Amino acid sequence: MDTIIFILTGTFATATPLLLAALGELVAEKSGIINLSIEGMMALSAAMGFAIVYTTGSHLLAFAVAAGLAMLLSAVFATLVMFFSANQVASGLAVGILGLGLSALLGRDYESLTLQAPSALSVPILSDIPILGSILFQQDIVVYMTITAGFGLMWIIQHSRVGLILRIVGENPHIAHNLGFNVLQVRFLAILFGGFMAGIAGAYASTILTPIWSQGMILGRGWIALALVVFGTWRVLRVMIGAYLFGALLLADLAVQTLNLGIPSQIMTSMPYAMTIVVLAIISRDTLRIRLNAPVSLGQNYRPNH
């Protein structure tokens, strides 16, 4: 029972950077843009966030600067694909590699250093509920804000004018242009939002979730976030469910070691990534669902004069 409670309690924190990055990528893809630079943006913001907290002690400043830096990187990607008609996949990979390189440069002086993570918030009365209290109502503030952001984004996409414009642009940018919407502006802002969320995700991973710096600490979370968007078939609620499932898988390694089941830790460590491959393979076979949910113009560049 203690192991189950440990996994369920930790799942929310472990899934938070995945969910933040996935929600940002979901918005970008809803506008028709695939941004494969999430891993690099998260790595760069993780290094910058760690450095700022270690130097100043301010988590708020760290999150703000990390988010701004990731947005700057996403703006580079947006400029390449929208104003120079560069291939989205190649541009995303190139910008992502740039982010990883800058992360190594910024983080080299902080290798193996640690931070003091902020304490979890205990919701009065509710946190005293047996079992559920510790699982649901003793989390850090970013966990609660991420859940709120998920449900808020779900409402915006489905029920607001902003969400309607985003979906029109993603489905057919030419029709959106004829209706008077600035397609490039919508896509640019969607990409910036994706960068902002990836920046918050990276800073959270290095300053709260695992407050110790080591090169490569993002460990493929950016790629898992990309997979989560497909896993959730571009629906916010499904993406949220998928993020928490993957968060639980990421904790399975520690749980297995605690139970002394004799399973090699390397197998459990690789489980989330193996599951990513399996899930993508299964979903890719359901072409009807992909056609129904994926934005029609996904991955296609748009120029106003074309």
Side-chain angles (χ1 to χ4, degrees), residues 272-289:
Y273 310 103
M275 185 60 68
T276 300
I277 296 172
V278 172
V279 168
L280 289 179
I282 293 174
I283 292 177
S284 297
R285 296 188 62 176
D286 191 351
T287 55
L288 178 60
R289 175 171 292 186

Side-chain angles (χ1 to χ4, degrees), residues 57-273:
S58 173
H59 280 80
L60 184 61
L61 178 62
F63 275 71
V65 175
L69 195 58
M71 289 175 70
L72 181 61
L73 207 58
S74 67
V76 173
F77 167 77
T79 300
L80 289 173
V81 300
M82 289 196 298
F83 300 108
F84 294 97
S85 296
N87 180 274
Q88 293 182 20
V89 173
S91 299
L93 290 174
V95 173
I97 293 171
L98 173 63
L100 290 171
L102 293 174
S103 169
L105 179 64
L106 290 173
R108 63 182 180 180
D109 294 332
Y110 300 93
E111 191 70 29
S112 300
L113 296 179
T114 60
L115 299 175
Q116 181 64 45
S119 302
L121 297 178
S122 294
V123 179
I125 302 176
L126 295 178
S127 61
D128 296 327
I129 299 174
I131 302 179
L132 287 179
S134 61
I135 295 173
L136 299 177
F137 304 110
Q138 293 184 19
Q139 303 286 345
D140 62 76
I141 189 171
V142 182
V143 170
Y144 297 125
M145 292 177 68
T146 301
I147 295 172
T148 303
F151 285 107
L153 186 60
M154 182 166 55
W155 185 88
I156 289 172
I157 290 176
Q158 295 298 326
H159 302 290
S160 73
R161 185 174 185 271
V162 171
L164 178 62
I165 294 173
L166 181 70
R167 286 185 282 126
I168 292 174
V169 168
E171 291 299 319
N172 194 317
H174 299 284
I175 290 179
H177 175 76
N178 292 335
L179 290 174
F181 301 126
N182 190 327
V183 174
L184 295 182
Q185 183 184 63
V186 171
R187 287 188 164 184
F188 198 92
L189 291 175
I191 295 171
L192 286 184
F193 178 78
F196 172 82
M197 297 295 276
I200 297 296
Y204 177 84
S206 66
T207 64
I208 297 179
L209 179 62
T210 311
I212 178 172
W213 177 255
S214 63
Q215 180 58 32
M217 67 170 299
I218 295 302
L219 293 173
R221 287 185 176 94
W223 298 111
I224 293 178
L226 278 161
L228 281 172
V229 177
V230 182
F231 173 84
T233 58
W234 295 270
R235 300 291 182 89
V236 175
L237 185 58
R238 294 175 185 174
V239 170
M240 293 176 69
I241 293 172
Y244 292 118
L245 289 175
F246 275 81
L249 282 174
L250 288 170
L251 284 175
D253 180 25
L254 293 176
V256 167
Q257 292 182 42
T258 301
L259 294 173
N260 295 318
L261 297 179
I263 301 176
S265 62
Q266 293 83 356
I267 293 178
M268 297 308 302
T269 301
S270 65
M271 279 298 293
Y273 310 103

